[in-house]
Amino acid sequence: MRVNGMLIAIDGTAGTGKSSVGKAVAAKLGYGFLSTGEMYRALAYKVFEKQINPEDHDAVLSAARALRFTFARQPDAALKMFVDGEFLGEKIHLEEVGNVASRVSTNAEARRVLTEKMREVGENGGVVMEGRDVGTVVFPDAEIKFYLDASAEERANRRVKQLQEAGQKADYGQILALIKERDYRDSHRAASPLKPADDALIIDTSALNMQQVIEAVLEKLEHHAS
Ligand code: DC
């Protein structure tokens, strides 16, 4: 065990509810919750803002090195991210930024830079960390690892609902295509491809609602502790 408790890794494909589940589990345990995808999105945002080509290896690497992250724990357990002192807010959650994030995250050296920053946040434990390679690369020694998955169609449905609830336009076909494209890129890249760690507990969330996934994770944690 670490100074402040466990480091719990939650990995999986986009749209499986990793963030909501991770946050709920962290709140229950009194832990902090970190979304590592937000850090890739922050890099993507800066790349976009500085009009850097996401395929320009050295420029993306410099942008990654220049990022200064600080985090403030919120009442709901989330570690609110500030980049160079600024809260980027909803800007990083735009579909376009997610796509650039998926592209800059193929840069192996930029990944190493961000991975080091993630380790600083989690090394003392007491953190639920969500992403794609937390259990495989960032913390291969995590005390417990989860991998959440769901069919692409189910994830597209969830995303459409989410966007509609936020009052935004949503095209199911377009979203499904984007999800499939991103899955392919995330799982076929040479650097840290998306895959479950050998010792990850895999949960298929296709037929489960959020509450059921949270319960499944908490139940496995109880088993793990006993
Ligand atoms: O989880 P998300 O959709 O916010 O992540 C955005 C992108 O960042 C995703 O396409 C892949 C990348 N990512 C990654 O490569 N490794 C992580 N640990 C987290 C995210």
Side-chain angles (χ1 to χ4, degrees), residues 76-111:
D76 70 351
L79 295 173
K80 183 173 178 180
M81 180 182 74
F82 296 83
V83 183
D84 305 326
E86 186 196 351
F87 174 58
L88 297 176
E90 279 311 303
K91 290 185 283 198
I92 60 166
H93 289 288
L94 296 170
E95 241 18 76
E96 294 87 333
V97 176
N99 252 309
V100 177
S102 168
R103 290 164 71 189
V104 296
S105 64
T106 62
N107 185 315
E109 283 187 82
R111 294 195 72 84

Side-chain angles (χ1 to χ4, degrees), residues 11 14 18 35-38 40-41 93 98 101-102 105 111 118 130-134 138 182 186 189 192:
D11 292 303
K18 285 175 296 174
S35 157
T36 60
E38 284 202 356
Y40 284 98
R41 285 173 181 271
H93 289 288
S102 168
S105 64
R111 294 195 72 84
M118 291 163 199
E130 169 267 321
R132 302 290 195 289
D133 62 346
V134 179
V138 188
R182 195 184 308 172
D186 290 350
R189 65 172 176 237
S192 314

Side-chain angles (χ1 to χ4, degrees), residues 58-75:
D58 292 354
V60 170
L61 176 59
S62 309
R65 287 199 176 121
L67 294 171
R68 291 287 166 268
F69 290 105
T70 45
F71 299 91
R73 179 129 150 217
Q74 302 300 292

Side-chain angles (χ1 to χ4, degrees), residues 49-182:
E49 195 183 47
K50 292 182 185 155
Q51 298 187 327
I52 296 169
N53 174 354
E55 261 66 58
D56 182 339
H57 177 276
D58 292 354
V60 170
L61 176 59
S62 309
R65 287 199 176 121
L67 294 171
R68 291 287 166 268
F69 290 105
T70 45
F71 299 91
R73 179 129 150 217
Q74 302 300 292
D76 70 351
L79 295 173
K80 183 173 178 180
M81 180 182 74
F82 296 83
V83 183
D84 305 326
E86 186 196 351
F87 174 58
L88 297 176
E90 279 311 303
K91 290 185 283 198
I92 60 166
H93 289 288
L94 296 170
E95 241 18 76
E96 294 87 333
V97 176
N99 252 309
V100 177
S102 168
R103 290 164 71 189
V104 296
S105 64
T106 62
N107 185 315
E109 283 187 82
R111 294 195 72 84
R112 267 198 288 279
V113 172
L114 293 192
T115 295
E116 275 312 313
K117 296 177 195 281
M118 291 163 199
R119 288 182 180 146
E120 281 169 24
V121 180
E123 63 193 355
N124 287 334
V127 174
V128 176
M129 197 175 286
E130 169 267 321
R132 302 290 195 289
D133 62 346
V134 179
T136 50
V137 176
V138 188
F139 284 103
D141 60 344
E143 278 68 34
I144 185 161
K145 303 172 184 178
F146 293 94
Y147 187 90
L148 305 188
D149 211 350
S151 68
E153 289 72 17
E154 178 55 28
R155 287 183 288 134
N157 273 326
R158 290 175 186 172
R159 184 75 183 134
V160 166
K161 219 171 124 205
Q162 212 179 40
L163 287 170
Q164 283 171 345
E165 280 168 7
Q168 295 182 39
K169 277 193 309 200
D171 178 310
Y172 174 83
Q174 198 184 0
I175 287 172
L176 180 62
L178 274 176
I179 285 179
K180 287 186 170 170
E181 183 190 317
R182 195 184 308 172

